[in-house]
Amino acid sequence: MKTFYKSQAWPAQRWRWIIPILLVLLFLATLIWLPWQAQRMEANERQEQLIADTLWVEQAIQFQLNRNEEMLRQVGAEIMTSRLPANAVLERFRTILKNNHEIQRIVWFDNRDTAIASTADSAAPARETPPPQAVSGGMDGKLRCLTPTPETNTKNSYLLSCQIPLLQENRHFGRILISYRLSGILEELVPWWFAQDNQISLVDVDDKVVASRAAGGPGKNVYTHNRALDLPGVALTLRTNSNKSEPRLLSNLLVLAIILLSLGLLWSLAALWRDINRRLAAEGALRQQMAFRTAMENSLITGLRARDMEGRLTYVNPAFCRMVGYPAAQLVGRLPPMPYWAPEALEEYQQRFTQILAGTVPAEGFETIYQHANGERIPVLIYESPLVNERGQQTGWMSSILDVSELKRAQELSRQQEEKLHASARLATMGEIASMLAHELNQPLAAISSYTTGAINLLQAGQVEPAMLQSALEKANAQAQRAGQIIRSVHEFVKKREPTREAVSIADLIQSAMPLIELQAQGAHVSLQWQLEPDLPPVLADRVLLEQVLLNLTRNAIEAMQKIAPAQRVLRILASFDAAGDRIAVEVIDRGHGIPANVAGLLFSPFFSTKASGMGMGLNICRTALEFHGGSLSHRDNPGGGTIFRFALPALHATT
Ligand code: ADP
C-alpha cells in the first residue's frame, strides 16, 4: 500500500520541486553575479577615470612646455630682430625661470655655440657648453629635445634639455637651450589631487624611470596608463599607476548578509521539503486510515447513525442503509419523521426523540421496530451515545443499531424449547406420581362406590330416608369432587400450553397445588404444615410454572426426608413478605439430609442429580422459570437440620 502511494506520488512530487529549485539556484547565481558585475563596472570606471586624468595631466604638461617654448621663442625673436643685449636676455630668462620651477636653467648659445647668457652661470656663461648630443645648426628652426641625462651631483634626477634654434631668413643666430628637471615637471605640473591618488612616472624609451612622484604611496599596478609625451626628438612616456587597489568584491557585512541569506534560503527550502514530505506521509497515512475505516464501516454489520444537535441525520453507514432499505443520499440531511419509522410506533419514536434531545436516553439501549423500505418490520436494539468532538463539545448523537430479528427468532425458539422441556419435566414428575395418583384415586372411587352402593341398598330395601340418602350422596359427591380436583390439577399441570402471565395469589397457588403435594407427602409419610401471611398481594406470573416450581421443591424436600425417622418428617411451606417488603417469599422447609458443600455449587446445573433415578433438571428449570418472572431462588441450611429452599417474586401491589 505504502509503495503504491510512493510510486504514484513521486514523479509529480519531483516535478513540483524542480521549478522552486531552479528559481532558488537562479536567485543564488544572481546574488553572486550581481556584486561581481558591480565590481567589474567599478574597475572599468576607475580605469577610464585614470585614462581621462592621465590625458588631462599629459595635456597640462604639454601645454606648459609649449608655453615655455612660446616664451623662449619670443625672447629668441627679440634677440634676432632687436639684437637684445645679453644681460637683457638673461633678465628675461630669469623671469621665466622664476615663474616656472620645473625649469633648471636656460642658456643662449650664439651661432658659434658660445654661451652668451645662462641662468645657471650668469657670471661666466661662456663656461657653459652645449650638451654633447645637441644638434648644431638646427636648420629647420623646430624645437628639439635631447635624451634625458642624469643631473650632475643629484642622485636619481634627470634633466631634459630642449633646444630652440634661432633662425631668421636662413640666418642662424644660435639657439636657446632650456633644461627641465624631469622630477620638477612632475612636481610642478601635475595637480596635487592627481598625485595623491596615483604614482606618476616618466619613463624613457628603455623603460627606465627617469622621474617619479608618489605622494599618496606607491602604485598598486591595478589601474595603470601610459601616455607618450609629444616631445620632438625624445620618446618620453607619462606613466600613471593608481594607488587604489582593485575594488573589493563586497563589503564584509554584505558578504555575510548574502551568505546568511543563502543559507537561510537553503534551510527554508530544506525545511519546506521536509515539511511537504511529512505532509505527504501524513496524507498517505490518513488516506490509508480512511481506506481502513471505510472498509471497516462497509463490513460492519451494526448500523451506525450520527445526528446533529437538532436531530438531523448527518451520517449513516452501509449496514444501516441495508437494514432500512434506503440509500444514504435519501437519509443524510433529513429531520424526523424518518422514512424508516413504522407508522404504528410514531408516538414512541417521537417520545424517544424528545428524550434524546433532552439527553435522557438509557445507556443500556432500547428496543424498537423500524420499517424497511419494502414495508417489513425489523426489530432493532439501539444504543445512543453523545457525539463529542476533539474539543470535548457535544455536536450530536451517535447511535449503533442492531438488527435483532435473528436474535428474536432464536429467543423464540429457545423459549419454545424450554417450554417443551418444562412440559417433559412435568410429565416426568407426573410419571413419578402417577402410581400414587392411581392409589389415591382408588380411595375416593372406593368411597364413592361404597356410598353409592349404600344408597342403592337403601333404595332397594325401600327404607328411603331422605336424610340418610342425602348424606350418602353428599359424601359420594365430595369424594367425586376430590377425585375430580386431583385429576384436573394433574391435567392442568401436564397439558402443553403457552405461558401466560396473570395475577396469581400465592394462597390460591398453594391451595391448588396442595392435592398433588399431599399426594406426594402421604406416599412418603411426611406430615405437611403450611402457613401464609394474611393479605398477601398477588404476583404477576404463569400459574402453572409456579405450581411446577412448588411441586419440584416439595418433591425434593420429601425425597430428602426419606431416610429419617417418620416422626421427624415434616414439610413446612411458609409464604410471607420478604425483608424488603416488595416481594413475596415462599419457603419450602424440610428436615432432610441437607446439602453438603460440594453439592451446593452444582445444584442448579442441568442434569446434576445425586439420586439414582433423578433427572437433575428440576432445580435448573425452577430457577429459569423464577428468573423469567423477575424472581429468584436460593437455599440455605435449616438450623434444625435439613434445607430451606426459598423463592421470591415481585409483589404486584407492593405495600411497605
Ligand atoms: P433431581 O431431583 O432430579 O435430582 P433436582 O435439580 O431437583 O434434580 O435436584 C438436584 C439435586 O439437588 C438433587 O439430586 C439433590 O441432591 C439436591 N437437592 C435438591 N433439593 C434438596 C433438598 N431439599 N435437600 C437436600 N438435597 C436436595
Side-chain angles (χ1 to χ4, degrees), residues 503-622:
V504 179
S505 147
I506 293 292
D508 284 356
L509 178 87
I510 294 176
Q511 209 90 56
S512 67
M514 207 41 92
L516 291 176
I517 300 172
E518 274 176 351
L519 209 59
Q520 294 173 325
Q522 278 170 16
H525 306 289
V526 171
S527 63
L528 201 60
Q529 298 177 357
W530 47 284
Q531 197 179 336
L532 303 182
E533 206 174 291
D535 304 328
L536 283 179
V539 294
L540 190 65
D542 184 287
R543 168 185 287 273
V544 177
L545 272 183
L546 283 194
E547 267 182 31
Q548 190 176 351
V549 169
L550 201 58
L551 275 178
N552 251 311
L553 296 181
T554 50
R555 193 199 58 190
N556 279 346
I558 290 166
E559 282 175 356
M561 290 189 285
Q562 269 174 2
K563 297 227 171 97
I564 60 163
Q568 289 177 7
R569 295 179 195 169
V570 183
L571 169 65
R572 289 171 66 213
I573 300 172
L574 306 181
S576 60
F577 274 120
D578 76 349
D582 58 350
R583 290 169 152 239
I584 294 172
V586 177
E587 291 187 335
V588 178
I589 306 166
D590 68 59
R591 304 182 64 186
H593 53 67
I595 298 172
N598 59 337
V599 170
L602 299 164
L603 276 191
F604 298 101
S605 313
F607 306 110
F608 172 78
S609 176
T610 56
K611 298 166 197 167
S613 57
M615 208 164 105
M617 283 305 291
L619 287 179
N620 177 270
I621 289 175
C622 286

Side-chain angles (χ1 to χ4, degrees), residues 5-20:
Y5 282 123
K6 241 188 168 167
S7 62
Q8 288 287 307
W10 175 238
Q13 191 192 341
R14 191 173 49 187
W15 285 112
R16 207 180 14 240
W17 278 104
I18 273 196
I19 290 177

Side-chain angles (χ1 to χ4, degrees), residues 250-265:
L250 284 171
S251 78
N252 287 345
L253 209 62
L254 201 59
V255 170
L256 196 72
I258 286 179
I259 289 174
L260 285 181
L261 197 68
S262 310
L263 285 179
L265 198 69

Side-chain angles (χ1 to χ4, degrees), residues 306-314 335 357 395-397:
R307 284 178 291 179
D308 65 13
M309 296 301 275
E310 288 154 25
R312 183 181 290 105
L313 275 182
T314 52
L335 275 167
L357 291 189
T395 56
W397 287 271

Side-chain angles (χ1 to χ4, degrees), residues 473-491:
L473 287 177
E474 272 174 359
K475 282 179 180 158
N477 186 33
Q479 290 297 322
Q481 294 253 344
R482 190 173 165 223
Q485 198 186 354
I486 292 173
I487 288 176
R488 256 196 319 279
S489 61
V490 169
H491 178 71

